[in-house]
Amino acid sequence: MAHTLPALPYDIKALEPHISQNTLEFHHGKHHAAYVANLNKLLDGTDLDGKSLEDVITSVAGDASKAGVFNNAAQVWNHSFYWQCMKPGGGGQPSGALADKINADFGSFEAFTEQFKAAGATQFGSGWAWLILDGGTLKITKTANADLPLAHGQKALLTMDVWEHAYYLDYQNKRPDYMTTFLDKLVNWDFVAANLAAA
Ligand SMILES: [Fe+2]
């Protein structure tokens, strides 16, 4: 079973003006699609062919000889997850059990946003900022390139892509503006709350 490119969970124009159709055409239609195509090519005829994406990732994580498989598989997973982390009319503050957990583990929602943005800002070069559940506690992490919480035994609840291809067409070099917009206008807190409930 070849891996497939999932459709965006909203219309290609739905995140405008914050993330443009142009960005999504490249980011989903070219970058994400290329990771899927590369992964299928790399897996074809190997013993990992037919395994779930998560099984492929955990099977090759840490194996330098399988870095190509890991990078493409992880980037397929990361992007499929990232699209769901946003929605038109998103952003603002979460509510319910998720809000309570954020307040308990970070002290306040403001402290959470500060740490999340700091993780994205200090990820030198390409990578991802994450809200994860680690041993029952919410934490902020950042990963380089394709790396992801699954490879470290952690449960991802939210991610923000800070590769330049995520924001350059709309924000040029202003990564902080993209990160502020992501939190204020785009985060799909319902998705994050569902991930926490299922963890
Ligand atoms: Fe990306």
Side-chain angles (χ1 to χ4, degrees):
M1 252 317 263
H3 296 277
T4 54
L5 178 68
L8 287 172
Y10 29 73
D11 185 81
I12 193 125
K13 293 182 179 171
L15 302 184
E16 292 192 337
H18 311 301
I19 292 182
S20 65
Q21 174 177 357
N22 195 23
T23 288
L24 288 183
E25 280 173 355
F26 278 96
H27 199 179
H28 176 260
K30 305 286 185 197
H31 291 283
H32 194 180
Y35 295 128
V36 172
N38 288 338
L39 177 64
N40 284 329
K41 220 178 290 173
L42 287 165
L43 293 182
D44 189 29
T46 73
D47 57 357
L48 293 171
D49 207 354
K51 290 205 178 199
S52 74
L53 189 57
E54 287 80 7
D55 280 352
V56 171
I57 290 168
T58 52
S59 298
V60 301
D63 181 347
S65 72
K66 300 270 175 62
V69 173
F70 176 79
N71 286 335
N72 284 283
Q75 283 294 76
V76 172
W77 194 96
N78 290 343
H79 284 91
S80 298
F81 190 76
Y82 169 67
W83 306 132
Q84 299 177 80
C85 287
M86 301 183 287
K87 69 172 187 180
Q93 297 206 13
S95 58
L98 174 60
D100 294 343
K101 184 76 174 146
I102 286 174
N103 285 328
D105 290 353
F106 294 103
S108 67
F109 180 73
E110 289 67 33
F112 154 77
T113 58
E114 237 168 72
Q115 287 184 41
F116 190 74
K117 281 197 259 190
T122 58
Q123 175 49 46
F124 186 77
S126 297
W128 302 81
W130 303 88
L131 173 66
I132 61 160
L133 192 65
D134 188 22
T137 304
L138 295 180
K139 292 178 186 169
I140 306 287
T141 62
K142 59 184 176 182
T143 58
N145 300 316
D147 196 18
L148 74 176
L150 180 62
H152 305 278
Q154 301 160 333
K155 169 81 179 169
L157 304 181
L158 168 70
T159 197
M160 177 173 64
D161 191 343
V162 295
W163 284 58
E164 279 191 345
H165 67 215
Y167 61 87
Y168 206 86
L169 295 176
D170 297 324
Y171 298 87
Q172 288 74 53
N173 60 325
K174 298 190 282 288
R175 187 189 286 186
D177 290 1
Y178 156 72
M179 297 193 303
T180 297
T181 302
F182 180 90
L183 286 167
D184 290 351
K185 308 287 187 185
L186 294 171
V187 174
N188 181 353
W189 287 118
D190 295 335
F191 178 66
V192 182
N195 292 333
L196 177 63

